[in-house]
Amino acid sequence: MDEMTEVRELRAHMPVPDRGRLAPGRARLTEAVRARESRRALWRRREFAIVGVVGAVTAVAVAATLLVGGKDTGRAVQPAATPGVRFKGVSAAEFLRQAADAVQTQPDGTVPTAKQWIYTKSVQEPLNKANKRVGDVENWIRYDGSASAFRLRDKPLDVTKMHLENGGEGDNRSPREMYRVLTALPADGKETLKALREQDAIADSKQVSPARNDYSEIRVLLSADVMPAKGLASLYRALALLPGGKITGHLVDTAAGRRVIALNYFRGENSATGESIHDQWLIDPRTYRIVGTQIISARGKVLGGDSIVTTAVVDKAGDRN
């Protein structure tokens, strides 16, 4: 898939965004894309060539991996049984193995029912004056993938009907289908990579290395709305086997007010400049779950992303707990 072409077509009728002048409109566009495209395009290739619209194609769902279930409400994730995983001075592979061991000990809550919704409140990255004016963003997606909704500040709730399951909308998958994939992953990292290659849910690209194709598979699964602990541990162990990861040797601040560990992986190139673009996964140092993502340039500039404020399982769109 030529993702850059898709993005250009999506935005062909829009002017080049100016962050200060168009902040409110940019936020609305961002949420429309998330609700109708990014949040439901959970099973398609994400080899982005990033330009100025990067914030509009960043999936809020990445941050939602904090959610571990609960029949009626979201349950706060308890700190891992092995607190204090060290990250300063360690390799990404070593950190991921340690984090996987800690994560797998966490109990999972009750899986949502088909008619329940997953609620996510998030803040756009990077945190700056424009984003402060925009405020928090709220999203809902039904567990069976039949609808999504979003609300920006005090605006009316916008609900969109969908049909994600059983290939109803191409490569898209519902949160329930993603959860089933995650619960079936082997515990071992090598076996997880083997299973993902056999499934080949995202068709391999001949233009990149096998490791890049593996990362594409893992990256999409890391964005699941409901993440079982053992599934996340499997993904971490598989990701530890791939080259190119780097841990920031200090905690970083997110737009949601968290202090987190930043884990970087190469994402692609800017088609216009050739500059490298990286994913920066924002990981809670107590729970080792992903609580946000940033897209950064080779120079370290944050181009876009989202960080989680809260998540919950609710009975209808518009509910928060």
Side-chain angles (χ1 to χ4, degrees):
M1 174 185 295
D2 185 348
E3 188 97 23
M4 198 60 257
T5 299
E6 183 181 7
V7 172
R8 288 191 180 115
E9 291 175 352
L10 177 68
R11 296 273 292 173
H13 64 292
M14 299 295 293
V16 175
D18 175 86
R19 185 177 293 275
R21 183 172 60 87
L22 300 179
R26 175 183 177 275
R28 286 187 174 278
L29 175 64
T30 300
E31 291 317 304
V33 174
R34 288 196 188 102
R36 295 177 173 81
E37 184 67 22
S38 295
R39 277 187 57 81
R40 54 181 175 157
L42 299 176
W43 204 252
R44 59 174 62 168
R45 176 167 299 282
R46 294 295 181 188
E47 293 298 330
F48 280 93
I50 305 298
V51 291
V53 297
V54 63
V57 294
T58 303
V60 175
V62 172
T65 57
L66 178 66
L67 188 66
V68 295
K71 184 174 182 181
D72 297 317
T73 61
R75 178 171 58 78
V77 178
Q78 297 300 316
T82 308
V85 169
R86 298 179 180 179
F87 58 93
K88 187 174 183 179
V90 305
S91 67
E94 182 181 356
F95 166 77
L96 286 164
R97 289 192 293 267
Q98 293 178 15
D101 291 342
V103 164
Q104 72 176 5
T105 66
Q106 297 175 359
D108 287 330
T110 304
V111 178
T113 65
K115 295 182 179 180
Q116 287 184 308
W117 297 68
I118 301 160
Y119 164 66
T120 304
K121 182 178 181 180
S122 62
V123 183
Q124 294 180 39
E125 293 279 0
L127 181 61
N128 54 34
K129 291 181 179 180
N131 284 348
K132 286 181 179 178
R133 289 198 297 268
V134 171
D136 298 336
V137 177
E138 297 178 296
N139 289 269
W140 292 260
I141 186 167
R142 217 170 95 146
Y143 188 57
D144 64 2
S146 62
S148 67
F150 79 94
R151 176 183 285 142
L152 179 63
R153 291 188 294 182
D154 57 348
K155 302 302 180 182
L157 186 69
D158 188 332
V159 181
T160 301
K161 297 293 184 181
M162 302 185 299
H163 181 67
L164 300 185
E165 295 201 332
N166 301 315
E169 296 194 23
D171 291 337
N172 300 332
R173 295 293 182 269
S174 72
R176 178 166 61 182
E177 288 175 317
M178 294 283 283
Y179 184 83
R180 289 169 178 167
V181 171
L182 289 162
T183 55
L185 290 178
D188 180 75
K190 290 183 179 179
E191 291 300 315
T192 293
L193 286 178
K194 180 181 177 181
L196 294 177
R197 290 165 183 164
E198 289 175 348
Q199 293 176 18
D200 198 25
I202 301 176
D204 287 344
S205 170
K206 296 181 180 179
Q207 307 301 317
V208 301
S209 68
R212 285 278 302 281
N213 284 321
D214 289 338
Y215 177 65
S216 295
E217 300 272 1
I218 293 171
R219 183 175 59 192
V220 174
L221 286 170
L222 285 173
S223 72
D225 291 272
V226 182
M227 178 68 75
K230 291 183 178 179
L232 180 57
S234 296
L235 294 178
Y236 279 170
R237 292 191 179 102
L239 190 56
L241 299 174
L242 303 184
K246 182 179 180 181
I247 288 287
T248 300
H250 56 84
L251 295 179
V252 300
D253 295 317
T254 74
R258 299 177 187 267
R259 289 186 60 76
V260 300
I261 300 165
L263 173 65
N264 298 343
Y265 272 89
F266 177 74
R267 183 187 186 101
E269 295 89 8
N270 184 318
S271 61
T273 67
E275 184 180 26
S276 296
I277 303 297
H278 292 77
D279 288 322
Q280 186 169 83
W281 301 97
L282 307 177
I283 301 175
D284 190 296
R286 298 173 304 146
T287 64
Y288 318 117
R289 286 180 174 266
I290 296 168
V291 294
T293 186
Q294 294 179 342
I295 300 175
I296 60 175
S297 70
R299 293 168 291 176
K301 181 179 179 181
V302 179
L303 304 176
D306 295 273
S307 56
I308 197 73
V309 176
T310 187
T311 63
V313 176
V314 299
D315 290 330
K316 64 180 180 180
D319 286 352
R320 296 182 176 87
N321 52 52

